[in-house]
């Protein structure tokens, strides 16, 4: 959530739960293939095999280390966006690019293990003539920035394996930007589904001067009430993916477990990738969900699909997807504290865009995650509580062992009076101080009646912890190699156990210990 610009922090707010309405199932997947731009190019995958589209076949393919941004240059040096957040293999989309250079080139890198190189160049374009695009539009009613640039070139993903991609734009002056793109899986039966979070990426995106957190002046009061996918991401173009998602993708592919890829936007539209899946993995920062997405993930859990929440502040904001310029669901709407101004406030309160736990249709996220988001900012050690839990097998930890700086920058906790899915086991109980107030961050595990296991780390730094001490992200928050080994082994245990199917049927069940840890009355179940 990171309420850096006036968005009010939370400190253990407890709200009564109202019944969660099951909303309509998703419709069809994706928009139609885009109209080609003025510079049609022949797209030929490099070294791909049409029979090798499943992620596990990619594990040890030859990789490349040359996928990072070496020089970003000025903000307008080269930047762009795709007209879809995800495509199926072989589906086309378009790139919309602006550059001050005479020409540029595009390379598509698939993120994975690749013998430790962590990416493979799947495709590269010829040189494309450059063009500086016009300034973005600002839709005054919701302070929404849209680039609305014409298509620069079509992108044909024929032969591309399912997975998470970074498209790298490179101008003839040597400046570069990333564009994230998910080549999503058509089915997830028997697989671990990695759930990417483009709605959250977009919520924080300040390209053009506006995000869901601040306006051009930096003030919360002038923030956008709706943000558009029809604009580039700020910074290097893929910061949220790189910080909160990439390292888990690399680890999961190294393990060789069957994987599927999708996004929260796609689950909102169509939950079929969840049918028969073993696990859904929500990555390091997955804050913005539609009610439809939440209903579909909850149904999957009830059908025995395990869920891993590898961050904090998950499923916190209720959002709505609305159409953009000539395209379906290209706008993320979230009025937040101005929810009374949401047009749905009187007519359809279940779709009012605010926090899930807040009126007019309060439904705290703990009924799915087991934990509640509590506050920001914190920086604290992660303290192991249930050292004998199967999650920590092979780590060598004992009760009370701690890992410096692993809890941050946002955190969740078990709140005994809040609605929970059933008996919870707190596996880590970490003292924190948020805005001068003492509290705790908790990792928690529960097993649902249908057999699913659900684990929440309670800290946003978990995925960052997978590369602690390596400086791959340019910073480690003070986390070290010992923390990396602990987080890596724990995550391996989690993914391997969950990949076997409903954890409640083959792994030890949760041992209810909330009363032991917190004392007093434990809240009702849902």
């Amino acid at each position: 959530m990171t309420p850096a610009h006036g968005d009010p922090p939370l400190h253990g707010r407890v709200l009564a739960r109202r019944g969660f309405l099951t909303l309509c199932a998703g419709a069809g997947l994706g928009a139609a293939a885009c109209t080609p731009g003025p510079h049609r190019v022949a797209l030929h995958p490099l070294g791909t095999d049409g029979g090798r589209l499943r992620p596990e076949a990619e594990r040890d393919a030859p990789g490349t280390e040359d996928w990072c941004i070496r020089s970003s240059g000025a903000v307008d040096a080269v930047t762009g966006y795709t007209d879809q957040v995800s495509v199926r293999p072989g589906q086309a989309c378009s790139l919309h690019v602006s550059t001050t250079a005479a020409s540029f080139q595009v390379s598509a890198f698939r993120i994975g293990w690749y013998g430790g190189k962590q990416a493979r160049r799947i495709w590269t374009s010829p040189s494309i003539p450059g063009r500086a695009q016009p300034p973005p539009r600002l839709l005054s009613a919701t302070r929404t920035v849209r680039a609305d640039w014409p298509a620069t070139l079509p992108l044909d993903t024929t032969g591309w394996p399912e997975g998470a991609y970074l498209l790298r734009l490179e101008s003839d002056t040597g400046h570069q930007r990333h564009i994230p793109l998910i080549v999503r899986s058509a089915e997830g039966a028997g697989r671990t589904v990695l759930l990417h979070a483009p709605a959250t990426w977009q919520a924080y995106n300040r390209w053009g001067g506006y995000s869901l957190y601040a306006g051009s002046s930096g003030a919360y009061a002038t923030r956008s009430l709706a943000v558009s996918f029809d604009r580039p991401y700020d910074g290097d173009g893929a910061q949220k993916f790189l910080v909160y998602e990439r390292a888990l993708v690399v680890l999961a592919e190294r393990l060789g477990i069957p994987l599927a890829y999708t996004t929260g936007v796609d689950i909102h539209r169509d939950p079929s990738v969840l049918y028969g899946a073993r696990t859904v993995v929500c990555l390091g920062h997955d804050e913005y969900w539609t009610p439809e997405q939440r209903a579909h993930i909850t149904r999957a859990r009830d059908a025995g699909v395990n869920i891993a929440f590898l961050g904090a502040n998950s499923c916190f904001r209720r959002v709505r997807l609305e159409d953009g310029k000539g395209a379906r669901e290209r706008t993320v709407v979230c009025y937040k504290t101005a929810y009374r101004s949401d047009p749905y406030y009187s007519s359809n309160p279940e779709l009012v865009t605010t926090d899930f736990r807040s009126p007019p249709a309060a439904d705290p996220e703990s009924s799915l995650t087991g934990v509640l988001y509590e506050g920001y900012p914190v920086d604290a050690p992660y303290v192991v509580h249930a050292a004998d839990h199967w999650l920590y097998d092979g780590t060598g930890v004992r009760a009370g062992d701690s890992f410096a700086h692993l809890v941050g920058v946002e955190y969740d906790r078990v709140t005994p009076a809040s609605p929970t899915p059933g008996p919870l086991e707190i596996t880590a109980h970490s003292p924190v101080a948020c805005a001068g107030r003492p509290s705790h961050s908790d990792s928690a595990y529960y097993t649902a009646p249908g057999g699913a296991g659900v684990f929440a780390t309670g800290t946003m730094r978990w995925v960052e912890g997978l590369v602690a001490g390596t400086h791959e992200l340019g910073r480690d928050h003070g986390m070290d190699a010992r923390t990396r080994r602990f987080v890596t082994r724990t995550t391996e245990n989690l993914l391997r156990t969950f990949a076997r199917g409903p954890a409640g049927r083959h792994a030890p069940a949760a041992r209810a210990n909330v009363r032991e840890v917190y004392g007093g009355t434990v809240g009702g179940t849902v």
Side-chain angles (χ1 to χ4, degrees):
M1 163 180 169
T2 316
H5 298 283
D7 207 10
L10 298 165
H11 303 288
R13 190 192 314 173
V14 178
L15 296 173
R17 181 178 189 271
R18 292 173 56 180
F20 181 56
L21 298 180
T22 301
L23 301 176
C24 57
L29 284 169
C34 56
T35 302
H39 304 289
R40 179 176 287 280
V41 294
L43 308 182
H44 301 290
L46 300 180
T48 58
D49 179 344
R52 297 179 59 210
L53 295 180
R54 285 183 62 121
E56 47 267 38
E58 283 283 299
R59 182 184 184 277
D60 295 312
T64 177
E65 295 175 343
D66 178 29
W67 60 269
C68 297
I69 299 295
R70 295 186 299 272
S71 174
S72 58
V75 171
D76 61 350
V78 62
T79 191
Y81 61 93
T82 58
D83 70 341
Q84 298 179 58
V85 298
S86 74
V87 293
R88 286 186 175 179
Q91 183 181 358
C93 65
S94 67
L95 285 174
H96 303 249
V97 178
S98 179
T99 180
T100 54
S103 65
F104 69 96
Q105 194 172 33
V106 187
S107 296
F109 297 93
R110 184 184 181 279
I111 301 301
W113 173 238
Y114 300 113
K117 291 187 176 179
Q118 304 187 16
R120 181 162 82 95
R121 190 193 303 261
I122 299 294
W123 165 81
T124 192
S125 78
S127 179
I128 307 296
R131 174 188 174 187
Q133 302 284 6
R137 298 175 58 201
L138 180 67
L139 308 183
S140 59
T142 54
R143 298 183 290 274
T144 300
V145 173
R146 282 203 330 226
D148 287 345
W149 296 334
T152 306
L153 72 154
L155 191 66
D156 178 4
T157 63
T158 299
W160 293 24
E162 303 164 7
Y165 285 75
L166 290 173
L167 308 177
R168 189 176 70 188
L169 309 176
E170 183 165 3
S171 70
D172 62 9
T173 56
H175 299 133
Q176 301 167 323
R177 284 292 191 288
H178 279 144
I179 303 173
L181 178 69
I182 305 303
V183 177
R184 69 180 183 270
S185 305
E187 63 168 73
R191 301 201 234 175
T192 293
V193 179
L194 302 186
L195 184 65
H196 297 277
T200 299
W201 307 344
Q202 195 57 249
Y204 286 84
N205 180 18
R206 288 202 65 189
W207 189 90
Y210 289 81
S211 72
L212 289 180
Y213 291 85
S216 58
S217 68
Y220 175 77
T222 60
R223 71 196 182 281
S224 293
L225 302 176
V227 288
S228 174
F229 285 113
D230 292 317
R231 60 174 180 157
Y233 290 105
D234 57 4
D236 62 13
Q239 183 194 37
K240 295 297 182 187
F241 170 81
L242 289 168
V243 173
Y244 295 114
E245 303 188 5
R246 182 189 66 89
L248 190 280
V249 172
V250 172
L251 172 62
E253 294 217 347
R254 177 175 65 78
L255 294 179
I257 59 177
L259 297 174
Y261 287 82
T262 193
T263 75
V265 171
D266 294 298
I267 295 297
H268 160 88
R269 295 169 178 163
D270 182 350
S272 58
V273 73
L274 304 177
Y275 301 161
R278 299 288 177 85
T279 302
V280 175
V281 179
C282 301
L283 300 164
H285 194 183
D286 194 357
E287 178 179 350
Y288 288 77
W289 291 38
T290 67
E292 293 89 342
Q293 177 186 346
R294 179 170 170 177
H296 294 154
I297 296 289
T298 301
R299 286 195 199 106
R301 178 203 65 185
D302 294 345
V305 179
N306 304 309
I307 307 177
F309 293 99
L310 298 186
N313 193 214
S314 296
C315 191
F316 181 69
R317 304 282 194 190
R318 181 195 292 115
V319 302
R320 189 168 61 251
L321 297 179
E322 295 183 349
D323 294 344
K325 181 182 179 182
R328 293 179 58 225
E329 297 171 334
R330 294 286 290 171
T331 303
V332 180
V333 181
C334 194
Y335 279 68
K336 299 167 98 172
T337 52
Y339 63 88
R340 289 182 179 85
S341 299
D342 189 320
Y344 281 70
Y345 181 70
S346 299
S347 62
N348 204 340
E350 294 78 16
L351 296 181
V352 168
T353 56
T354 184
D355 305 344
F356 271 106
R357 66 180 68 175
S358 299
D363 185 39
E365 69 272 21
S366 57
S367 64
L368 175 62
T369 65
V371 293
L372 277 178
Y373 171 68
E374 186 171 84
Y376 156 93
V378 299
D379 181 281
Y382 181 93
V383 181
V384 174
H385 181 76
D388 61 343
H389 197 281
W390 58 262
L391 282 161
Y392 303 134
D393 286 351
T395 64
V397 296
R398 294 187 249 182
D401 283 356
S402 65
F403 297 87
H405 308 292
L406 181 53
V407 176
V409 58
E410 299 183 83
Y411 71 99
D412 298 337
R413 64 166 284 185
V414 170
T415 305
S418 68
T420 59
L424 292 172
E425 180 172 7
I426 294 173
T427 68
H429 187 55
S430 309
V432 301
C434 184
R437 298 183 60 177
S439 188
H440 287 84
S441 167
D442 294 315
S443 291
Y445 177 72
Y446 72 87
T447 45
V454 179
F455 176 66
T457 67
T459 171
M460 195 175 285
R461 286 187 185 155
W462 190 267
V463 173
E464 292 180 89
L466 293 171
V467 291
T470 67
H471 303 291
E472 286 187 19
L473 298 173
R475 67 193 194 289
D476 292 303
H477 306 293
M479 296 186 292
D480 58 14
R482 172 176 170 267
T483 296
R484 181 178 74 250
R485 291 190 294 269
F486 166 74
V487 173
T488 299
R489 179 56 186 265
T490 301
T491 307
E492 290 172 349
N493 292 341
L494 174 70
L495 294 179
R496 285 183 169 131
T497 298
F498 276 13
R500 293 172 57 195
R505 299 176 186 171
H506 62 258
R511 302 166 295 188
N513 65 355
V514 175
R515 184 174 284 109
E516 166 199 324
V517 173
Y518 278 104
T521 302
V522 177
T525 58
V526 296

